[in-house]
């Protein structure tokens, strides 16, 4: 693939470069060199949107990010170095974040922004300078063409024997200022840290919505997941910048409007505990996406943080708690719910009723958790651990209830007569019975019918 | 370079002195494995004696083969569940667990977590997530039809976590080989449970173990009091709604 702008190739993909396409070629000649080349017209607006997205993402490393020019961002990381484990680690993380968004980058690091800018533009390899002396030494060797204002005078300056920044600095200041652009001298001073720099730091927007428009409509899960990752990375940056955590988010999948006329699909994710960690959010989305059946190829993926909460930094304990932190447990519940659905996870919610099937309530975990009054003093009557959801009618054999074998009654009856008030009346005599093989059963006999009918209701586990 | 040395102890049994890093993973066939792993005592002294390291292992799966549901399998695990810290996840239990029983046993109801899955793959996935997350203290998993690859995978996940994990399967699978390191077969008996140790890291267990419910400390119920001798059967109570019958006889 190659990008063209005003009838000239401006950028080429790695594959295109291998086929011999070079920047500066005319589109026609590029297509002669590589007949299968895909030419794409440069879209400055989309480039700017992408750059702004990267800028928001990078806000997680420092609150001070500024846009230098069309494709360069400046970050003031002097306060972030120790927080992220030194400059090497920070560079790795910045690189990983930007690459996760699907962009490539060149990094330069220096005590002065203008110098960092020069380092980043200089060569594909990473340049870092921490001390001002070593930075100046490295700047001295740089060619003058790197300075954006010197480009116009490059041939003139080279012809007077001035090709590096060190040689440029040796020229008389007044003469240089008069004969070239005054901005050239300013830029040079700023790069060497001899003139102050001013920046306009970007501000994170009040609300977060981001989208990705696919070049071609896609129905591949992998591609959607990759795009989701990009959006989540972006959101992480925004959340950290605004010191917020997200408690509910919506992922919207839009289909080709003209062709399918389908309403977009919204995937809503509600979190039990506000989160801001990229890995956890991504894992939840992955499970949700895995469950989704696409109606049509997706053109636009949109992510919106619909509910926010204040960012609560984790409170560390001196001694690790057994069984992990409560946050781990919430994360587990969310993950299970994302895949199995909210009805699959149940927590006990005991109700005050004599009928065992009513008393033994289990609530769905997404509901507000009600506290169970567990009086340690209150003892229940003997109850089996397993309760059959539907009582099983037992046959009688030789006037004995029969389940696998004839059952012998061991204790009882325990009379339960309740529910006349809600139409679900139970009039039962419960017995504990034992089968011939030794297992214990909880059976009852209905009292309100003429014929004695026996039911199995529980198993003593 | 570490060296192995074989010395003969006083009893005539050769004893192997190994570097301490590997010593726990090597044992003689006649001895019980004493791996340096955490265990939770089962609460049954007779059973503890037969288990490697005297308890339910924290790392690794324990397979319980039960004749049928409701023979006392949870009662067997109850002392261990009481000791385990953290939540107890029940994955795909055969029936609804009754919270009242749980409270009656003196266990906190908040610790129970009941997970129901629709598909087989979801079940295995959930088990793996619970093991990997590590915020639960114990996991009980009911599943009969598991392939050996799936069990092996669960076993590996259980080995990497610090969760006591029991896999409950029907007794009919006792003859099918399984990759788990500890397998017990449970069968109901008159007032207790018969346990056959099918597989363990140690010598084969020749005699089955008999646990009686009355040895469970602090338990008061019909299991323990009453019929200590012969089972005295109670007469079936007469039907109470006899009024209509009387008119029919006239």
């Amino acid at each position: 693939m190659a990008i063209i702008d005003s009838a000239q190739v401006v950028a080429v993909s790695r594959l295109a470069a291998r086929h011999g396409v070079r920047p500066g070629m005319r589109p026609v000649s590029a297509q002669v060199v590589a007949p299968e080349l895909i030419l794409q017209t440069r879209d400055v607006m989309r480039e700017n949107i992408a750059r702004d997205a990267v800028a928001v993402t990078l806000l997680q490393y420092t609150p001070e990010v500024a846009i230098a020019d069309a494709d360069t961002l400046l970050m003031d990381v002097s306060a972030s170095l120790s927080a992220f484990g030194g400059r090497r680690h920070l560079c790795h993380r910045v690189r990983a974040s930007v690459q996760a968004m699907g962009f490539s980058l060149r990094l330069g690091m220096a005590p002065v922004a203008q110098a960092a800018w020069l380092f980043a533009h200089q060569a594909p390899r990473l340049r870092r300078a921490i001390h001002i002396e070593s930075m100046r030494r490295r700047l001295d060797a740089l060619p003058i063409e790197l300075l954006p204002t010197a480009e116009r005078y490059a041939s003139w300056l080279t012809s007077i024997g001035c090709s590096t920044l060190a040689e440029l600095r040796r020229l008389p200041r007044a003469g240089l200022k008069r004969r070239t652009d005054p901005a050239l001298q300013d830029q040079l001073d700023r790069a060497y840290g001899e003139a102050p720099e001013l920046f306009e730091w970007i501000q994170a927007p009040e609300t977060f919505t981001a989208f990705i428009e696919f070049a071609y409509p896609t129905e591949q899960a992998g591609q959607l997941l990759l795009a989701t990752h990009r959006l989540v990375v972006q959101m992480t940056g925004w959340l950290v910048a605004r010191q917020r955590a997200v408690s509910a988010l919506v992922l919207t999948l839009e289909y080709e409007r003209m062709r399918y006329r389908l309403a977009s699909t919204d995937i809503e994710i509600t979190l039990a505990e506000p989160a801001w960690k990229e890995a956890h959010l991504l894992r939840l989305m992955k499970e949700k996406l895995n469950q989704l059946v696409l109606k049509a190829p997706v053109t636009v993926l949109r992510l919106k943080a619909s509910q926010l909460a204040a960012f609560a930094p984790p409170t560390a304990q001196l001694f690790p708690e057994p069984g992990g932190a409560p946050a781990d447990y919430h994360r587990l519940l969310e993950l299970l719910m994302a895949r199995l659905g909210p009805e699959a996870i149940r927590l006990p919610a005991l109700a005050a009723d004599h009928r065992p099937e009513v008393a033994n309530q289990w609530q769905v975990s997404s509901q507000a958790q009600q506290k169970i009054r567990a009086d340690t003093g209150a003892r229940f009557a003997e109850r089996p651990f397993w309760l059959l959801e539907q009582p099983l009618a037992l046959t009688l054999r030789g006037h004995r209830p029969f389940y696998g074998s004839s059952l012998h009654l061991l204790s009882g009856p325990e009379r339960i007569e309740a529910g006349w008030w809600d139409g679900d009346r139970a009039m039962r005599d419960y017995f504990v019975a034992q089968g011939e093989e030794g297992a214990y059963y909880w059976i009852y006999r209905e009292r309100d019918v003429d014929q004695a009918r026996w039911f199995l209701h529980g198993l003593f586990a | 370079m570490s060296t192995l040395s074989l010395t003969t102890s006083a009893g005539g049994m050769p004893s192997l002195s190994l570097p301490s890093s590997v010593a726990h993973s090597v044992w003689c066939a006649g001895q019980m494995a004493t791996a340096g792993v955490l265990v939770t005592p089962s609460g049954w002294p007779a059973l503890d004696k037969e288990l490697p390291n005297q308890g339910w292992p924290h790392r690794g799966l324990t397979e319980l083969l039960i004749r049928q549901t409701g023979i006392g399998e949870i009662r067997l695990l109850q002392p261990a569940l009481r000791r385990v810290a953290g939540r107890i996840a029940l994955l795909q239990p055969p029936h609804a667990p009754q919270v009242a029983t749980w409270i009656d046993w003196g266990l906190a109801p908040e610790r129970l977590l009941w997970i129901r899955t629709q598909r087989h793959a979801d079940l295995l996935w959930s088990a793996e997530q619970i093991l990997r997350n590590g915020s639960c203290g114990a996991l009980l998993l009911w599943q009969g039809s598991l392939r050996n690859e799936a069990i092996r995978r669960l076993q590996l996940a259980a080995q990497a976590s610090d969760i006591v994990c029991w896999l409950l399967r029907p007794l009919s699978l006792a003859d099918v080989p399984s990759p788990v390191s500890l397998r017990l077969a449970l069968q109901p008996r008159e007032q207790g449970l018969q346990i056959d140790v099918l597989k363990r890291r140690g010598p084969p267990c020749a005699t089955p173990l008999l646990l009686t419910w009355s040895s469970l400390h602090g338990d008061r119920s019909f299991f323990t009091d009453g019929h200590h001798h012969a089972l005295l059967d109670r007469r079936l109570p007469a039907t109470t709604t006899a009024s209509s019958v009387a008119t029919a006889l006239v």
Side-chain angles (χ1 to χ4, degrees), chain A residues 258-269:
Chain A
M258 304 310 279
R259 220 166 120 192
Y260 295 100
R261 298 182 182 282
L262 285 170
S264 55
T265 309
D266 283 352
I267 306 175
E268 280 175 44
I269 298 173

Side-chain angles (χ1 to χ4, degrees), chain A residues 290-342:
Chain A
N290 278 344
Q291 289 206 321
L292 188 75
V293 180
L294 284 181
K295 288 188 266 182
V298 178
T299 49
V300 176
L301 198 63
R302 202 180 287 277
L303 181 68
K304 182 168 182 260
S306 50
Q307 261 182 50
L308 296 164
F311 173 93
T315 47
Q317 297 269 328
L318 180 57
F319 300 107
E321 289 171 53
D328 281 339
Y329 174 65
H330 287 302
R331 242 171 266 148
L332 173 70
L333 280 192
E334 269 163 28
L335 195 63
L336 290 173
M337 260 196 289
R339 169 138 169 183
L340 308 174

Side-chain angles (χ1 to χ4, degrees), chain A residues 209-269:
Chain A
T209 32
F211 68 94
I212 284 180
E213 207 177 333
F214 294 103
Y216 304 100
T218 180
E219 15 185 30
Q220 285 178 9
Q223 217 167 344
L224 284 178
L225 202 61
L226 219 71
T228 314
H229 190 183
R230 283 174 63 173
L231 293 174
V232 170
V233 168
Q234 209 174 319
M235 188 169 71
T236 313
W238 180 82
L239 287 174
V240 174
R242 293 212 68 96
Q243 305 240 325
R244 290 300 189 84
V246 68
S247 54
L249 37 100
V250 184
L251 187 70
T252 311
L253 289 89
E254 286 176 21
Y255 308 106
E256 253 181 306
R257 208 162 289 159
M258 304 310 279
R259 220 166 120 192
Y260 295 100
R261 298 182 182 282
L262 285 170
S264 55
T265 309
D266 283 352
I267 306 175
E268 280 175 44
I269 298 173

Side-chain angles (χ1 to χ4, degrees), chain A residues 332-405:
Chain A
L332 173 70
L333 280 192
E334 269 163 28
L335 195 63
L336 290 173
M337 260 196 289
R339 169 138 169 183
L340 308 174
E343 296 83 29
I345 320 294
R346 301 181 161 213
L347 301 171
L350 211 58
D353 200 297
H354 288 293
R355 287 163 294 176
E357 67 273 22
V358 180
N360 192 37
Q361 293 285 327
W362 289 75
Q363 67 182 356
V364 174
S365 67
S366 56
Q367 291 167 357
Q369 172 120 35
Q370 67 181 72
K371 188 79 187 155
I372 306 159
R373 266 194 338 111
D375 281 334
T376 41
R379 301 296 299 255
F380 292 86
E382 191 73 43
R383 291 274 181 273
F385 188 69
W386 296 130
L387 191 70
L388 269 65
E389 274 159 85
Q390 272 303 326
L392 187 73
L394 297 177
T395 53
L396 282 174
R397 232 178 249 191
H399 299 292
R400 288 188 179 287
F402 186 87
Y403 182 71
S405 60

